[in-house]
Amino acid sequence: MQVYRGMDIGTAKPSAEEQARVPHFMVDVADPTDTYTVATFQQVARDALKSHEGRLLVVGGSGLHMRAVLDPLDFPPHDPDVRAAVAGMSDDARVAELLEADPAAAEVIDMRNPRRVERAVEVLRITGLTPSVRFNHPNAQQVREYVPLIPFHAFGIDPGDRLEARARARVSKMLDHGLMDEVAGLELGETAGQAVGYKQLRPVVEGKAQLATAVEDIVRATLALAKRQRTFFRRDPRITWLPWADTLDGRYVALRAAVDKVLS
C-alpha cells in the first residue's frame, strides 16, 4: 500500500528524511484511485532491481508481493467483459465448462471454491490455457518448490506473542499523528480502499460509524492480517527466522549477525 501517494501515516511510509538517507523504490508511484495490481508491482519492482547495481533490501509485510518479485510467479491477464460474462454463469455451468476443456482440472484446483473456478474459466477463455497446463508449467513447478528467479537471502523476525497490545498502540499512535485527517483528504479506489485502517475509518469520516468501533475493527483486521502473513511466510523454507526482541537495537543486532553469517 506504500505505492499510493498520500497514504503515509496508515502505511507507516518512510519519511522524507529516511528516503533521503537511503534510495527507496516502490514508494509513491501511484494515485490511490488507481488499481495497482500485483502484476504491475512485479514488473515495476523488477525494473528497479535491474536498474540498481549492488545489493537491495526487499522489505515489507506482503508475502505474495515478495514472491511476485523474486520468484517466477505468472499472472494471467484479466478481461472485464469476459469476467462479467463468467460471473453471470451458475456455479455448475462454470464447473462443467472447465471440466469439458480439462477433465483433470479437479486434480489441480478446488472445484468447491467458486472464486477459483470463476477465475480459471476466465483465464481459459482469454488464453486457452487449462488449469492442468498452467499447473504443469515449469514456472509453476518452481514456485511450488520455492526455486527463485532472482537469488536472495531471506530473514524474518518473529513477531512475538504480544501482538494485540502492539497493534493497539500502533493504531493510537497513527491517530495521534493525523490518520483521520489523512483518510478524510483522500479519494480511494477499489484496491487502496481495502487497506487496513483506511477501510475502517472511512465510515467514521462519513459519519456512519463511531471511532471507538472503528479502532476495534482496525485492531482485529491488523491481527488477522498478521496471522495470514505469518502463515504465508512460515511455509517458505528459505527464510531464516530470528526471535523477537523488544528493542529496535536488539532486533538490529540479531539481524545484522544473521546477515553477516550468511554473507561471510
Side-chain angles (χ1 to χ4, degrees):
M1 292 297 176
Q2 292 182 350
V3 300
Y4 291 115
R5 287 182 279 271
M7 295 175 63
D8 304 333
I9 299 169
T11 66
K13 190 175 292 179
S15 66
E17 179 184 355
E18 290 168 331
Q19 293 187 52
R21 291 172 57 196
V22 180
H24 284 66
F25 302 89
M26 309 307 295
V27 175
D28 292 338
V29 296
D31 290 328
T33 53
D34 295 341
T35 299
Y36 205 83
T37 66
V38 181
T40 302
F41 186 95
Q42 178 188 65
Q43 184 59 57
V44 177
R46 286 181 179 175
D47 288 345
L49 286 172
K50 292 177 183 177
S51 69
H52 187 80
E53 295 183 1
R55 295 192 179 103
L56 285 176
L57 298 178
V58 180
V59 301
S62 171
L64 176 61
H65 285 74
M66 185 197 85
R67 295 207 69 189
V69 175
L70 301 174
D71 291 338
L73 274 173
D74 293 325
F75 297 98
H78 290 274
D79 185 296
D81 294 331
V82 174
R83 173 165 292 187
V86 174
M89 301 169 62
S90 68
D91 291 344
D92 289 343
R94 285 192 289 261
V95 169
E97 180 173 337
L98 208 55
L99 291 177
E100 182 179 356
D102 183 6
E107 298 176 12
V108 297
I109 66 170
D110 183 2
M111 291 295 187
R112 297 169 297 181
N113 188 321
R115 292 184 61 187
R116 289 185 181 275
V117 173
E118 184 175 331
R119 176 63 173 146
V121 174
E122 180 191 4
V123 173
L124 175 64
R125 290 189 179 187
I126 295 172
T127 67
L129 299 176
T130 65
S132 294
V133 169
R134 293 169 54 209
F135 182 84
N136 291 307
H137 191 280
N139 282 2
Q141 295 183 34
Q142 284 185 241
V143 170
R144 291 194 297 273
E145 295 169 3
Y146 291 94
V147 178
L149 180 68
I150 301 172
F152 68 93
H153 298 287
F155 303 89
I157 299 177
D158 188 277
D161 58 1
R162 296 193 298 276
L163 285 179
E164 182 171 349
R166 285 163 49 204
R168 289 187 181 280
R170 182 174 183 269
V171 174
S172 178
K173 183 177 180 180
M174 290 190 297
L175 288 171
D176 289 343
H177 281 76
L179 179 58
M180 186 74 75
D181 291 336
E182 181 171 279
V183 174
L186 291 172
E187 181 182 354
L188 303 177
E190 182 178 355
T191 306
Q194 297 303 307
V196 174
Y198 298 86
K199 179 180 180 180
Q200 292 78 16
L201 288 177
R202 173 58 63 182
V204 179
V205 170
E206 296 173 348
K208 300 176 182 177
Q210 298 296 316
L211 178 59
T213 301
V215 167
E216 293 302 314
D217 290 343
I218 295 172
V219 171
R220 281 194 294 269
T222 300
L223 296 177
L225 177 60
K227 182 178 180 179
R228 289 196 302 272
Q229 295 294 3
R230 188 181 191 183
T231 299
F232 189 103
F233 281 118
R234 281 291 182 183
R235 291 196 295 259
D236 194 326
R238 301 167 297 185
I239 299 177
T240 297
W241 286 98
L242 307 174
W244 176 257
D246 287 330
T247 66
L248 180 60
D249 284 346
R251 296 193 293 275
Y252 170 77
V253 169
L255 180 58
R256 182 57 188 265
V259 172
D260 287 345
K261 182 178 180 180
V262 168
L263 298 182
S264 63

